[in-house]
Amino acid sequence: AFMQAQKKNGRKCVEMEEKIKIHLHPNVYETLMKDCEAFEFFKGNTLELNKNAFLTALINHFYLKYQEKEDQLFSLLKKHFPDLKEDEIYAVVQDLNRYENDHEKDNFSSVISLKPTKASKGTLSYIENYFLGHVSMSEFFRNLFSFYATFPQDEREKIIFQDTYDVLMKAIKKQKCVFIVTKKKENCQQEIMPYALCSSKEEMHCYLIAKQNSEIKAFRLSRIVSVTPLMKSCSFQDDEIELCKKMMTYGPQFLYQNHEEPVIIRLTEKGERIYKHHYIHRPPYVYKEKNFYTFYCSHDQILNYFKRFGKEAYIITPKYLQSEIYKFYKSATEFYSLEGKKK
Protein backbone atom coordinates (compact mmCIF):
# COMPACT_ATOMS: atom_id res chain seq x y z
CA ALA A 1 0.00 0.00 0.00
CA PHE A 2 2.80 2.38 0.91
CA MET A 3 4.54 1.69 -2.39
CA GLN A 4 1.34 2.30 -4.34
CA ALA A 5 0.92 5.68 -2.68
CA GLN A 6 4.53 6.46 -3.46
CA LYS A 7 4.29 5.42 -7.08
CA LYS A 8 1.70 8.09 -7.73
CA ASN A 9 4.33 10.63 -6.88
CA GLY A 10 7.04 8.93 -8.91
CA ARG A 11 9.16 11.02 -11.23
CA LYS A 12 11.11 10.32 -14.36
CA CYS A 13 14.55 8.83 -13.74
CA VAL A 14 17.22 11.49 -13.55
CA GLU A 15 20.93 10.91 -13.96
CA MET A 16 22.45 11.74 -10.57
CA GLU A 17 26.08 12.78 -10.71
CA GLU A 18 26.41 15.38 -7.98
CA LYS A 19 27.05 14.55 -4.35
CA ILE A 20 24.03 14.35 -2.07
CA LYS A 21 24.53 16.23 1.19
CA ILE A 22 22.79 14.64 4.14
CA HIS A 23 22.36 16.46 7.47
CA LEU A 24 22.43 14.10 10.45
CA HIS A 25 22.23 14.06 14.19
CA PRO A 26 25.81 13.82 15.58
CA ASN A 27 25.03 10.48 17.26
CA VAL A 28 23.90 8.96 13.94
CA TYR A 29 26.95 10.39 12.16
CA GLU A 30 29.23 8.94 14.84
CA THR A 31 27.61 5.50 14.48
CA LEU A 32 28.17 5.57 10.72
CA MET A 33 31.81 6.54 11.08
CA LYS A 34 32.46 3.93 13.77
CA ASP A 35 30.93 1.25 11.56
CA CYS A 36 32.91 2.43 8.55
CA GLU A 37 36.10 1.88 10.58
CA ALA A 38 34.98 -1.26 12.44
CA PHE A 39 33.95 -2.94 9.18
CA GLU A 40 37.24 -1.84 7.59
CA PHE A 41 36.09 0.33 4.70
CA PHE A 42 39.46 1.90 3.90
CA LYS A 43 40.91 3.45 0.76
CA GLY A 44 43.48 0.99 -0.57
CA ASN A 45 46.13 0.07 1.99
CA THR A 46 45.72 3.32 3.91
CA LEU A 47 43.77 4.03 7.10
CA GLU A 48 41.69 6.71 5.35
CA LEU A 49 38.00 5.84 5.62
CA ASN A 50 36.16 5.11 2.38
CA LYS A 51 32.90 6.69 3.49
CA ASN A 52 31.28 6.53 0.07
CA ALA A 53 31.87 2.79 -0.34
CA PHE A 54 30.42 2.19 3.11
CA LEU A 55 27.32 4.34 2.50
CA THR A 56 26.79 2.64 -0.85
CA ALA A 57 26.85 -0.80 0.79
CA LEU A 58 24.51 0.41 3.54
CA ILE A 59 21.95 1.84 1.13
CA ASN A 60 22.02 -1.10 -1.28
CA HIS A 61 21.49 -3.63 1.51
CA PHE A 62 19.14 -1.66 3.74
CA TYR A 63 16.66 0.30 1.66
CA LEU A 64 14.30 -2.67 1.30
CA LYS A 65 14.31 -3.24 5.08
CA TYR A 66 13.61 0.45 5.56
CA GLN A 67 10.80 0.18 2.99
CA GLU A 68 9.36 -2.76 4.95
CA LYS A 69 9.29 -0.65 8.12
CA GLU A 70 7.49 2.17 6.28
CA ASP A 71 5.02 -0.33 4.77
CA GLN A 72 4.16 -1.69 8.20
CA LEU A 73 3.55 1.78 9.59
CA PHE A 74 1.46 2.70 6.52
CA SER A 75 -0.68 -0.45 6.89
CA LEU A 76 -1.17 0.15 10.60
CA LEU A 77 -2.39 3.71 10.02
CA LYS A 78 -4.65 2.60 7.17
CA LYS A 79 -6.20 -0.04 9.44
CA HIS A 80 -6.96 2.38 12.27
CA PHE A 81 -7.89 5.40 10.11
CA PRO A 82 -9.80 3.91 7.14
CA ASP A 83 -11.28 7.29 6.15
CA LEU A 84 -7.89 8.81 5.38
CA LYS A 85 -6.75 8.87 1.78
CA GLU A 86 -3.50 7.11 0.91
CA ASP A 87 -1.70 10.40 0.25
CA GLU A 88 -2.84 11.65 3.65
CA ILE A 89 -1.60 8.50 5.36
CA TYR A 90 1.72 8.84 3.58
CA ALA A 91 1.98 12.43 4.82
CA VAL A 92 1.37 11.20 8.39
CA VAL A 93 4.15 8.61 7.98
CA GLN A 94 6.57 11.34 6.97
CA ASP A 95 5.45 13.60 9.82
CA LEU A 96 6.11 10.75 12.26
CA ASN A 97 9.58 10.28 10.78
CA ARG A 98 10.27 13.98 11.17
CA TYR A 99 9.07 13.97 14.76
CA GLU A 100 11.24 10.94 15.52
CA ASN A 101 14.35 12.61 14.13
CA ASP A 102 13.68 16.35 14.63
CA HIS A 103 12.51 16.71 18.23
CA GLU A 104 15.98 17.56 19.57
CA LYS A 105 17.53 21.01 19.15
CA ASP A 106 20.51 21.39 16.79
CA ASN A 107 20.24 17.76 15.82
CA PHE A 108 21.42 18.17 12.22
CA SER A 109 24.83 19.68 12.91
CA SER A 110 26.74 16.83 11.20
CA VAL A 111 26.92 16.52 7.43
CA ILE A 112 27.90 13.55 5.29
CA SER A 113 28.04 13.38 1.49
CA LEU A 114 27.04 10.53 -0.80
CA LYS A 115 28.53 10.35 -4.30
CA PRO A 116 26.42 8.26 -6.72
CA THR A 117 28.40 5.44 -8.36
CA LYS A 118 27.67 2.57 -10.73
CA ALA A 119 27.12 0.36 -7.69
CA SER A 120 24.39 2.64 -6.31
CA LYS A 121 22.86 3.99 -9.53
CA GLY A 122 19.98 1.49 -9.71
CA THR A 123 19.07 1.80 -6.05
CA LEU A 124 19.15 5.60 -6.13
CA SER A 125 16.94 5.68 -9.23
CA TYR A 126 14.44 3.38 -7.54
CA ILE A 127 14.41 5.55 -4.40
CA GLU A 128 14.02 8.71 -6.47
CA ASN A 129 11.04 7.33 -8.37
CA TYR A 130 9.18 5.58 -5.55
CA PHE A 131 10.10 7.20 -2.26
CA LEU A 132 10.38 10.94 -2.77
CA GLY A 133 6.73 11.93 -2.86
CA HIS A 134 6.89 14.46 -0.03
CA VAL A 135 10.53 14.39 1.10
CA SER A 136 13.87 15.35 -0.39
CA MET A 137 16.59 12.82 -1.14
CA SER A 138 18.58 14.20 1.80
CA GLU A 139 15.65 13.80 4.21
CA PHE A 140 14.98 10.27 2.98
CA PHE A 141 18.56 9.22 3.71
CA ARG A 142 18.51 10.99 7.06
CA ASN A 143 15.50 8.85 8.03
CA LEU A 144 17.11 5.70 6.64
CA PHE A 145 20.45 6.25 8.39
CA SER A 146 18.70 7.11 11.66
CA PHE A 147 16.74 3.85 11.52
CA TYR A 148 19.93 1.91 10.73
CA ALA A 149 21.64 3.42 13.78
CA THR A 150 18.98 1.93 16.10
CA PHE A 151 20.28 -1.62 15.53
CA PRO A 152 23.08 -3.22 17.62
CA GLN A 153 26.49 -3.24 15.92
CA ASP A 154 26.47 -6.97 15.13
CA GLU A 155 23.08 -6.58 13.41
CA ARG A 156 24.40 -3.59 11.47
CA GLU A 157 27.32 -5.75 10.35
CA LYS A 158 24.85 -8.31 8.99
CA ILE A 159 23.10 -5.53 7.09
CA ILE A 160 26.28 -4.21 5.46
CA PHE A 161 27.44 -7.72 4.49
CA GLN A 162 23.98 -9.13 3.80
CA ASP A 163 24.96 -10.99 0.60
CA THR A 164 27.76 -12.86 2.37
CA TYR A 165 25.56 -13.54 5.40
CA ASP A 166 22.71 -14.96 3.28
CA VAL A 167 25.00 -17.33 1.33
CA LEU A 168 26.59 -18.61 4.55
CA MET A 169 23.22 -19.13 6.26
CA LYS A 170 21.98 -21.13 3.28
CA ALA A 171 25.12 -23.30 3.31
CA ILE A 172 24.80 -23.90 7.07
CA LYS A 173 21.16 -24.90 6.67
CA LYS A 174 22.03 -27.33 3.86
CA GLN A 175 25.20 -28.51 5.70
CA LYS A 176 27.37 -27.79 2.66
CA CYS A 177 30.97 -26.64 2.39
CA VAL A 178 31.93 -23.23 1.02
CA PHE A 179 35.01 -21.67 -0.52
CA ILE A 180 35.85 -18.31 1.05
CA VAL A 181 38.29 -15.48 0.45
CA THR A 182 39.20 -13.46 3.55
CA LYS A 183 40.95 -10.14 4.14
CA LYS A 184 44.62 -10.32 5.04
CA LYS A 185 47.78 -8.69 3.75
CA GLU A 186 47.14 -10.94 0.79
CA ASN A 187 43.71 -12.46 0.24
CA CYS A 188 43.52 -15.88 1.87
CA GLN A 189 41.51 -18.53 0.03
CA GLN A 190 40.26 -21.69 1.72
CA GLU A 191 37.62 -24.38 1.67
CA ILE A 192 35.76 -24.65 4.97
CA MET A 193 32.82 -26.42 6.61
CA PRO A 194 30.53 -23.75 8.13
CA TYR A 195 28.89 -24.68 11.43
CA ALA A 196 27.12 -21.51 12.65
CA LEU A 197 26.97 -17.73 12.50
CA CYS A 198 26.88 -16.07 15.91
CA SER A 199 27.68 -12.78 17.62
CA SER A 200 30.16 -11.89 20.31
CA LYS A 201 28.62 -11.57 23.77
CA GLU A 202 28.97 -7.79 23.63
CA GLU A 203 27.08 -7.72 20.28
CA MET A 204 30.05 -6.07 18.59
CA HIS A 205 30.72 -8.40 15.65
CA CYS A 206 29.23 -11.39 13.87
CA TYR A 207 31.44 -14.48 13.39
CA LEU A 208 31.36 -17.60 11.27
CA ILE A 209 32.38 -20.72 13.20
CA ALA A 210 33.73 -23.31 10.80
CA LYS A 211 36.11 -26.22 10.35
CA GLN A 212 39.15 -25.81 8.14
CA ASN A 213 40.85 -29.17 7.62
CA SER A 214 40.69 -30.54 11.19
CA GLU A 215 40.80 -27.21 13.01
CA ILE A 216 37.81 -25.23 14.34
CA LYS A 217 38.15 -21.52 13.59
CA ALA A 218 36.14 -18.29 13.74
CA PHE A 219 36.01 -15.80 10.85
CA ARG A 220 34.66 -12.29 11.33
CA LEU A 221 31.84 -11.64 8.88
CA SER A 222 33.20 -8.25 7.79
CA ARG A 223 36.53 -9.84 6.85
CA ILE A 224 35.07 -12.40 4.46
CA VAL A 225 35.55 -10.97 0.97
CA SER A 226 33.58 -13.59 -0.96
CA VAL A 227 31.77 -16.92 -0.52
CA THR A 228 31.21 -19.63 -3.11
CA PRO A 229 28.89 -22.55 -2.25
CA LEU A 230 30.21 -26.08 -2.86
CA MET A 231 28.38 -29.38 -3.29
CA LYS A 232 30.51 -31.21 -0.71
CA SER A 233 28.71 -32.02 2.55
CA CYS A 234 29.97 -31.01 6.00
CA SER A 235 30.90 -33.49 8.72
CA PHE A 236 31.77 -32.76 12.36
CA GLN A 237 32.99 -35.10 15.09
CA ASP A 238 31.36 -34.97 18.53
CA ASP A 239 34.32 -33.18 20.11
CA GLU A 240 34.34 -30.64 17.26
CA ILE A 241 30.65 -29.91 17.79
CA GLU A 242 31.32 -29.51 21.52
CA LEU A 243 34.07 -26.98 20.77
CA CYS A 244 31.81 -25.06 18.35
CA LYS A 245 29.11 -24.81 20.99
CA LYS A 246 31.68 -23.66 23.54
CA MET A 247 32.79 -20.88 21.21
CA MET A 248 29.19 -19.80 20.72
CA THR A 249 28.67 -19.69 24.49
CA TYR A 250 31.85 -17.93 25.63
CA GLY A 251 32.76 -15.82 22.61
CA PRO A 252 33.84 -16.78 19.07
CA GLN A 253 36.47 -14.02 18.80
CA PHE A 254 39.07 -15.87 20.87
CA LEU A 255 41.45 -18.71 20.01
CA TYR A 256 40.32 -22.12 21.23
CA GLN A 257 42.03 -25.49 21.49
CA ASN A 258 40.40 -28.88 21.88
CA HIS A 259 40.18 -30.14 25.46
CA GLU A 260 41.45 -26.96 27.15
CA GLU A 261 41.65 -27.55 30.88
CA PRO A 262 39.83 -25.33 33.40
CA VAL A 263 41.59 -22.23 34.74
CA ILE A 264 41.71 -21.37 38.45
CA ILE A 265 42.46 -17.76 39.42
CA ARG A 266 42.77 -16.16 42.84
CA LEU A 267 41.49 -12.59 42.96
CA THR A 268 42.19 -9.99 45.60
CA GLU A 269 39.36 -7.88 46.95
CA LYS A 270 40.29 -5.16 44.47
CA GLY A 271 40.57 -7.79 41.73
CA GLU A 272 37.01 -8.90 42.41
CA ARG A 273 35.83 -5.31 42.03
CA ILE A 274 37.69 -4.98 38.72
CA TYR A 275 36.18 -8.25 37.51
CA LYS A 276 32.70 -7.04 38.44
CA HIS A 277 32.99 -3.71 36.61
CA HIS A 278 35.06 -4.63 33.52
CA TYR A 279 32.47 -6.56 31.54
CA ILE A 280 33.92 -6.21 28.00
CA HIS A 281 35.25 -9.66 26.99
CA ARG A 282 34.84 -10.81 30.61
CA PRO A 283 35.01 -14.63 30.88
CA PRO A 284 32.15 -16.05 32.98
CA TYR A 285 33.26 -18.27 35.85
CA VAL A 286 31.70 -21.72 36.31
CA TYR A 287 32.58 -22.14 39.99
CA LYS A 288 33.60 -19.84 42.85
CA GLU A 289 34.87 -20.68 46.36
CA LYS A 290 35.78 -17.65 48.45
CA ASN A 291 38.08 -15.63 46.17
CA PHE A 292 39.07 -18.60 43.96
CA TYR A 293 37.40 -18.53 40.54
CA THR A 294 37.25 -21.44 38.10
CA PHE A 295 36.84 -20.70 34.39
CA TYR A 296 36.15 -23.06 31.51
CA CYS A 297 36.72 -20.96 28.43
CA SER A 298 39.40 -20.00 25.90
CA HIS A 299 42.86 -19.62 27.47
CA ASP A 300 43.43 -16.83 24.96
CA GLN A 301 40.45 -14.99 26.49
CA ILE A 302 41.86 -15.48 30.00
CA LEU A 303 45.21 -13.95 29.05
CA ASN A 304 43.71 -11.02 27.18
CA TYR A 305 41.27 -10.18 29.95
CA PHE A 306 43.39 -10.64 33.06
CA LYS A 307 46.55 -8.90 31.77
CA ARG A 308 45.09 -5.61 33.04
CA PHE A 309 44.74 -6.90 36.62
CA GLY A 310 48.43 -6.91 37.58
CA LYS A 311 48.93 -8.17 41.14
CA GLU A 312 45.16 -8.26 41.75
CA ALA A 313 44.86 -11.63 39.95
CA TYR A 314 47.03 -14.75 40.24
CA ILE A 315 46.68 -17.70 37.86
CA ILE A 316 47.05 -20.90 39.87
CA THR A 317 46.45 -23.43 37.10
CA PRO A 318 47.32 -24.35 34.43
CA LYS A 319 51.01 -23.66 35.00
CA TYR A 320 51.74 -22.75 31.39
CA LEU A 321 49.22 -19.86 31.59
CA GLN A 322 50.88 -18.74 34.80
CA SER A 323 54.18 -18.76 32.92
CA GLU A 324 52.72 -16.85 29.94
CA ILE A 325 51.39 -13.98 32.04
CA TYR A 326 54.66 -13.89 34.02
CA LYS A 327 56.59 -13.47 30.74
CA PHE A 328 54.22 -10.67 29.73
CA TYR A 329 54.79 -8.67 32.93
CA LYS A 330 58.54 -9.45 32.95
CA SER A 331 59.08 -8.19 29.39
CA ALA A 332 57.07 -5.05 30.14
CA THR A 333 59.13 -4.41 33.29
CA GLU A 334 62.42 -4.90 31.41
CA PHE A 335 61.26 -2.57 28.62
CA TYR A 336 60.30 0.22 31.02
CA SER A 337 63.55 -0.24 32.91
CA LEU A 338 65.61 0.16 29.74
CA GLU A 339 63.59 3.16 28.54
CA GLY A 340 64.01 4.79 31.94
CA LYS A 341 67.80 4.42 31.78
CA LYS A 342 67.89 6.17 28.39
CA LYS A 343 66.59 9.32 30.05
Side-chain angles (χ1 to χ4, degrees):
F2 181 75
M3 287 300 299
Q4 290 174 356
Q6 289 291 75
K7 191 171 182 180
K8 292 178 183 178
N9 297 295
R11 298 176 289 182
K12 291 182 179 180
C13 180
V14 178
E15 287 291 332
M16 289 176 288
E17 300 293 340
E18 296 183 2
K19 288 184 178 181
I20 304 167
K21 284 189 176 181
I22 305 154
H23 296 262
L24 299 170
H25 188 283
N27 290 345
V28 175
Y29 179 83
E30 184 179 359
T31 297
L32 296 179
M33 293 303 95
K34 282 183 177 179
D35 284 0
C36 188
E37 182 176 6
F39 304 153
E40 300 175 346
F41 279 82
F42 300 116
K43 293 183 178 180
N45 294 322
T46 71
L47 293 179
E48 183 181 356
L49 296 180
N50 193 335
K51 300 176 186 178
N52 206 66
F54 170 73
L55 293 178
T56 297
L58 192 167
I59 293 165
N60 283 343
H61 293 132
F62 192 62
Y63 78 99
L64 290 178
K65 191 175 185 70
Y66 177 72
Q67 172 190 314
E68 182 182 339
K69 174 239 185 188
E70 298 288 274
D71 283 344
Q72 290 173 351
L73 182 55
F74 185 94
S75 298
L76 186 64
L77 289 170
K78 188 177 179 68
K79 176 182 177 180
H80 289 283
F81 302 98
D83 294 334
L84 287 178
K85 296 179 181 179
E86 289 188 341
D87 284 348
E88 293 173 327
I89 296 175
Y90 171 58
V92 173
V93 171
Q94 297 309 317
D95 284 343
L96 288 172
N97 282 332
R98 291 188 183 104
Y99 174 79
E100 188 176 278
N101 297 318
D102 298 3
H103 64 280
E104 296 180 32
K105 293 182 179 180
D106 301 323
N107 61 343
F108 297 150
S109 56
S110 297
V111 180
I112 195 168
S113 296
L114 171 68
K115 173 67 176 176
T117 64
K118 289 182 179 180
S120 62
K121 181 180 178 181
T123 300
L124 293 178
S125 295
Y126 177 84
I127 290 170
E128 185 183 32
N129 278 276
Y130 291 94
F131 272 97
L132 304 185
H134 297 282
V135 297
S136 66
M137 183 74 80
S138 178
E139 185 176 354
F140 172 82
F141 284 126
R142 176 166 64 244
N143 294 337
L144 184 146
F145 293 159
S146 297
F147 182 46
Y148 166 84
T150 63
F151 290 84
Q153 182 176 302
D154 59 324
E155 292 298 321
R156 300 198 301 267
E157 185 175 17
K158 293 175 188 177
I159 290 168
I160 300 299
F161 301 96
Q162 180 185 328
D163 295 340
T164 300
Y165 181 82
D166 289 344
V167 174
L168 289 172
M169 285 299 294
K170 189 176 293 186
I172 290 168
K173 186 176 181 180
K174 293 182 176 180
Q175 298 183 334
K176 295 294 184 181
C177 298
V178 294
F179 181 81
I180 66 171
V181 177
T182 58
K183 287 181 182 176
K184 283 192 175 180
K185 290 183 179 180
E186 295 181 0
N187 284 346
C188 182
Q189 306 177 20
Q190 50 206 315
E191 179 183 314
I192 61 171
M193 296 183 183
Y195 178 81
L197 279 160
C198 66
S199 299
S200 58
K201 291 181 64 181
E202 298 79 16
E203 298 183 336
M204 294 179 67
H205 287 287
C206 182
Y207 292 85
L208 169 68
I209 297 176
K211 180 167 75 170
Q212 181 193 8
N213 298 323
S214 59
E215 187 178 357
I216 303 297
K217 293 183 175 182
F219 303 88
R220 208 165 88 184
L221 179 63
S222 59
R223 291 178 177 167
I224 299 175
V225 178
S226 65
V227 184
T228 304
L230 302 174
M231 293 302 295
K232 188 186 300 184
S233 296
C234 299
S235 62
F236 293 89
Q237 302 298 320
D238 289 343
D239 62 331
E240 293 170 338
I241 293 175
E242 182 182 348
L243 180 55
C244 289
K245 290 180 177 179
K246 183 177 178 181
M247 293 171 71
M248 294 172 69
T249 301
Y250 293 101
Q253 67 270 42
F254 303 104
L255 296 175
Y256 288 79
Q257 301 295 329
N258 286 323
H259 311 298
E260 285 183 322
E261 62 181 290
V263 179
I264 300 176
I265 297 178
R266 184 184 69 226
L267 296 178
T268 64
E269 185 177 340
K270 182 178 179 180
E272 289 186 303
R273 291 199 301 270
I274 296 172
Y275 178 77
K276 181 180 179 180
H277 292 104
H278 289 217
Y279 61 88
I280 299 295
H281 303 318
R282 177 175 60 198
Y285 63 86
V286 294
Y287 180 72
K288 176 180 179 290
E289 184 176 357
K290 295 183 180 179
N291 61 330
F292 291 83
Y293 291 73
T294 300
F295 301 88
Y296 183 63
C297 60
S298 164
H299 290 179
D300 177 54
Q301 182 178 4
I302 292 289
L303 286 173
N304 278 282
Y305 182 79
F306 283 103
K307 279 177 180 178
R308 77 188 81 179
F309 281 61
K311 64 183 179 64
E312 310 304 332
Y314 180 74
I315 297 177
I316 297 173
T317 61
K319 292 299 181 182
Y320 96 89
L321 272 186
Q322 185 186 102
S323 176
E324 286 297 313
I325 206 159
Y326 171 79
K327 290 176 185 176
F328 171 79
Y329 290 131
K330 184 173 183 290
S331 63
T333 301
E334 290 174 348
F335 173 78
Y336 272 91
S337 178
L338 289 172
E339 289 297 309
K341 289 178 181 179
K342 290 180 182 179
K343 296 178 181 180

